[in-house]
Amino acid sequence: MRVAVTGTPGTGKTTATDILATRLDDDSLPDLEVIHLNAVLDEEGLYTEVDADRGSKIADLEALSDWLEGRDDAVIDSHLAHHFDADRVAVLRCAPETLEKRLLERGETEAKAAENAESEALDVVLSEAVDEHGLESVYEIDTTDRDPEAVADALEAVVTGDREPSAGEVDFMGYLT
């Protein structure tokens, strides 16, 4: 089984999947490797260029797909994870105001934090995930008022099949008005 954990940068993907990784060592849970795809992109140089304006690497999605080939028992963490084959896709969401604050606290520029907050309000990643994988495979998780352990609990429920698919339940459009 392959589970993609995706969402706008700052929604808590890496923190929650790190916690989930420690739990996956338990024999009662599926034996899945947690792959932090952004680290792979950096370590393997799987990007085509660097966007100087945004200070970000442009991922080579084909090269990342090739790298993922054969890694089928995995939880893939990245804002890009929904672009790859997956049985289940967990989309982490966060209120844009909270997201913007998190991004600024970790050193992102005001422009990049604002751009990501707007993308979150517009459901960009969720829409892409549903378009790519269908409603029956997408699990929306609001991380705004959840601590990382609770987010990991929700991810564990996705992995074990103890949670029903959901998409479109979180609405942050009010941020834009």
Side-chain angles (χ1 to χ4, degrees), residues 51-65:
D51 181 335
D53 293 336
R54 289 191 173 95
S56 59
K57 297 176 176 97
I58 307 300
D60 183 337
L61 295 179
E62 187 175 322
L64 284 167
S65 181

Side-chain angles (χ1 to χ4, degrees), residues 17-34 74-75 155-156 159-160:
T17 55
D18 280 344
I19 294 168
L20 181 63
T22 64
R23 297 178 184 183
L24 291 174
D25 291 336
D26 184 328
D27 289 336
S28 67
L29 294 174
D31 187 23
L32 301 175
E33 172 189 12
V34 173
V75 173
L155 289 176
E156 184 178 324
V159 167
T160 60

